[in-house]
Amino acid sequence: MFKSVFRRGLAAGVCALSLSVAQAADDSAGDDTWQFGGAIYLWGAGIGGETRTGDDIDMSFSDLMKNLDMAFMGMLTARKGKWSLLSDVIYLNVSDDKSRTTNGELIGQPVTAKLDVGLKSLIISAAAAYEVYENARTQLDVLAGGRYLYMKPDLEFRISEVGPFGPWRERVAESEDFIDAIVGVRGRTELSEKWWMNYYADIGTGESDLTWQLLAGFNYRFSKVDAAFGYRYLKWELDNDTFDDLAISGPYAGVRFRF
């Protein structure tokens, strides 16, 4: 009962924050009008973790790029005075296939086994933040919100026909999702007239045992946009029927804009 109420309440909160952010965003403060901005970026992330059966998950960024069907990564933020809203969306659709043929020593004929793997994932983070510290160079906010993780693995295992036995096929395709509440901090420090640094950390729990994220990056100002690059680490401790833990990490690069 409590879990159901928590899920509906947090889901509504995440959706409300996302809809609010979709109308605004930027990281500058000290104004009584809404200031808006956003970012689009490429996250050179690999996927790691462990299944409940103890099998390791290890998909490097090069593996993901070779088998990438579709990806979208973006961010929207909105700020008014000391208050701000932020939302981050990641969508990933990857697939791969592997096959192996035995030499036939055991049963007198070759046997081909093939594994098709697919993974669709959607990650949405949304939060409200409040500025707690500011000086000439540094600004620091505390934040609270939620994170949504959706995963749909698609696994198909096939074995070729063996003697009088026909081919064998098994498929697993069950989606899972998790909603967690998060709290954290974010900040920025001016390094020079053109260069500035941003940093972010959050931690939370709910339907997962634990989720946390770390991000640090550098930005260079142009006339209307900023070039951004850095490193991001995002992890869940799930302890469910499929995954024990899941981590996505790697460098990112993109463009931040104001409107």
Side-chain angles (χ1 to χ4, degrees):
M1 177 66 178
F2 172 77
K3 182 176 180 179
S4 177
V5 173
F6 169 83
R7 183 182 179 85
R8 290 197 296 268
L10 186 55
V14 170
C15 290
L17 284 170
S18 299
L19 290 173
S20 298
V21 169
Q23 304 172 16
D26 188 26
D27 288 330
S28 59
D31 198 335
D32 288 334
T33 61
W34 282 107
Q35 312 223 344
F36 312 115
I40 52 175
Y41 55 89
L42 173 64
W43 187 13
I47 299 176
E50 185 177 338
T51 68
R52 289 291 293 159
T53 59
D55 297 320
D56 291 330
I57 304 167
D58 186 11
M59 297 182 68
S60 67
F61 176 60
S62 59
D63 291 334
L64 292 180
M65 290 304 295
K66 285 188 298 184
N67 302 289
L68 183 66
D69 295 325
M70 182 180 295
F72 172 81
M73 290 166 273
M75 178 183 296
L76 289 172
T77 58
R79 190 174 192 97
K80 181 177 182 181
K82 293 182 177 294
W83 287 97
S84 58
L85 300 171
L86 50 147
S87 179
D88 179 82
V89 178
I90 301 168
Y91 176 76
L92 186 67
N93 185 355
V94 294
S95 61
D96 195 8
D97 61 85
K98 300 180 183 295
S99 63
R100 181 179 179 182
T101 301
T102 67
N103 56 19
E105 291 181 355
L106 294 178
I107 59 175
Q109 70 177 84
V111 177
T112 299
K114 185 174 183 181
L115 176 65
D116 294 325
V117 181
L119 176 65
K120 294 180 180 179
S121 183
L122 175 66
I123 304 167
I124 302 175
S125 301
Y130 182 78
E131 181 187 295
V132 294
Y133 177 79
E134 182 183 21
N135 62 21
R137 296 180 55 209
T138 298
Q139 171 190 317
L140 186 66
D141 296 349
V142 295
L143 61 92
R147 178 148 53 238
Y148 173 75
L149 167 65
Y150 168 85
M151 296 184 299
K152 186 178 181 181
D154 190 347
L155 310 176
E156 184 175 4
F157 186 68
R158 288 175 286 171
I159 296 179
S160 61
E161 186 171 338
V162 181
F165 303 102
W168 179 81
R169 173 178 176 268
E170 183 176 359
R171 183 182 182 190
V172 178
E174 294 184 2
S175 63
E176 299 179 279
D177 59 351
F178 304 85
I179 297 179
D180 298 292
I182 58 173
V183 294
V185 296
R186 70 166 188 160
R188 58 183 289 162
T189 298
E190 299 291 333
L191 303 176
S192 68
E193 183 179 349
K194 291 290 188 179
W195 286 95
W196 57 280
M197 180 180 181
N198 65 298
Y199 32 91
Y200 177 100
D202 70 40
I203 189 170
T205 187
E207 293 188 336
S208 70
D209 288 348
L210 185 70
T211 180
W212 56 281
Q213 178 176 201
L214 295 173
L215 180 151
F218 292 93
N219 307 265
Y220 184 83
R221 290 189 185 91
F222 292 94
S223 58
K224 294 184 179 181
V225 299
D226 296 350
F229 61 93
Y231 193 89
R232 183 178 187 179
Y233 185 93
L234 182 56
K235 184 173 182 177
W236 291 265
E237 294 181 7
L238 301 171
D239 194 24
N240 69 333
D241 294 336
T242 306
F243 293 100
D244 187 34
D245 61 77
L246 180 69
I248 308 175
S249 62
Y252 69 87
V255 178
R256 302 167 66 100
F257 51 91
R258 298 169 292 277
F259 55 90

